Amino acid sequence: MTKEINGSSIGTGEWNMAMPVKQSYINAFIVYLSIFAAGAVLLEIAPTFILIMEEFEVNAMMVGFLVSAFVLGFAFFGALVMFKGSTLAEVNLRLSLAVGTGIVGIFGFLVSFSPNYWSMWVFRFAVGFGCIMLIGSMMLLAISWFPLEQLNAVVLSGTVSMVLGTLIAAFFGPLIASVAGGWRVMYLIFGGVGLLAFILWLILG
C-alpha cells in the first residue's frame, strides 16, 4: 500500500511499478555519483592543508575550521528541520533531491574558485547542507524506486559511495594536485563530478 505525499509516492515497501526498472537504477546511480562527490569534497582538504594555509595565510586551526564547515552544514540542516517541526516526508521529495544534488554539484565545483578563506568555508558548508538533503530524500524515494528486499543494498551503496569519495580524495588527492598543478585543480575535478551528477539529474532524473 502506498500513498502520495506532495507528489512523491511513499509506502510500506511496495514497489511503485509505474517507474521502469531501468529508470530506478539510473536515478540511484546519479544520486550515488553526487554522494561520491560530496564525500570527496569532505576530505579533499586533508592532503592540501599546507597549500591552503600558505595561499590564504591562515593558521592550522583555521584550516581545521574549514574541515568542520561540511559537518556544520549537515548539522544546520538537521536543526532547520527540527526548528520547523517538519520532515522530508512532508515536502516534494523529488524537488528536495534535485535541490540537494544541485547544491552539492554547484558549490562543490565553486570550491576550486574560492577567492578567499571565508568563501571557501561557505562553499564547503553548503555542500554539507546539500549532501544531507539529498541523502535523506533518496532514502525515502528509494521506497518507491526499489522492491523492499533491495532497500538495504540501496542504502549500503549510498554509504559506500561516500566512503569511496573520501578515500579517493585522501589517497589520490596529493598525486592529482602535484601532477595537475595545484590544489585547485584537484578540487575542480571532484567538484566537477558533483556538477556532472546535477546535470545528469536534470536530463535523466
Side-chain angles (χ1 to χ4, degrees), residues 3-97:
K3 66 176 180 176
E4 292 288 325
I5 300 180
N6 289 333
S8 300
S9 178
I10 304 298
T12 57
E14 294 184 7
W15 197 5
N16 179 8
M17 298 303 292
M19 175 174 287
V21 178
K22 182 179 179 180
Q23 186 62 45
S24 296
Y25 286 104
I26 290 174
N27 288 352
F29 171 77
I30 294 172
V31 175
Y32 294 152
L33 194 63
S34 185
I35 295 174
F36 169 87
V41 172
L42 168 63
L43 212 61
E44 66 187 355
I45 194 172
T48 57
F49 259 50
I50 302 300
L51 297 177
I52 293 173
M53 286 173 60
E54 292 177 349
E55 179 163 339
F56 292 148
E57 299 181 346
V58 294
N59 56 35
M61 184 180 70
M62 293 298 286
V63 178
F65 191 45
L66 276 177
V67 177
S68 67
F70 186 99
V71 180
L72 288 173
F74 258 66
F76 182 77
F77 180 82
L80 188 62
V81 170
M82 291 177 61
F83 178 76
K84 292 187 64 177
S86 61
T87 65
L88 281 174
E90 295 173 327
V91 302
N92 188 306
L93 292 176
R94 288 186 63 83
L95 176 61
S96 178
L97 181 60

Side-chain angles (χ1 to χ4, degrees), residues 11 44 46-47 55 86 95 127 130 132 137 148 155 172 182-183 187-188 197:
E44 66 187 355
E55 179 163 339
S86 61
L95 176 61
V127 173
I132 191 63
S137 301
L148 183 61
V155 174
F172 295 101
W183 65 269
Y187 284 51
L188 188 67

Side-chain angles (χ1 to χ4, degrees), residues 73-202:
F74 258 66
F76 182 77
F77 180 82
L80 188 62
V81 170
M82 291 177 61
F83 178 76
K84 292 187 64 177
S86 61
T87 65
L88 281 174
E90 295 173 327
V91 302
N92 188 306
L93 292 176
R94 288 186 63 83
L95 176 61
S96 178
L97 181 60
V99 171
T101 305
I103 291 174
V104 170
I106 294 171
F107 287 96
F109 188 74
L110 286 176
V111 170
S112 61
F113 298 99
S114 303
N116 53 52
Y117 172 88
W118 287 109
S119 63
M120 187 176 188
W121 191 95
V122 170
F123 294 155
R124 288 180 54 80
F125 177 92
V127 173
F129 184 93
C131 181
I132 191 63
M133 180 184 292
L134 76 89
I135 290 175
S137 301
M138 190 256 185
M139 286 182 175
L140 290 174
L141 281 171
I143 297 172
S144 60
W145 286 354
F146 297 95
L148 183 61
E149 60 271 16
Q150 293 184 14
L151 290 182
N152 285 340
V154 170
V155 174
L156 178 62
S157 298
T159 304
V160 170
S161 298
M162 175 162 275
V163 171
L164 282 176
T166 58
L167 289 177
I168 290 176
F171 286 103
F172 295 101
L175 177 63
I176 295 174
S178 60
V179 172
W183 65 269
R184 290 182 182 273
V185 178
M186 179 188 72
Y187 284 51
L188 188 67
I189 292 172
F190 291 126
V193 173
L195 191 59
L196 173 63
F198 178 50
I199 293 172
L200 288 175
W201 179 259
L202 292 178

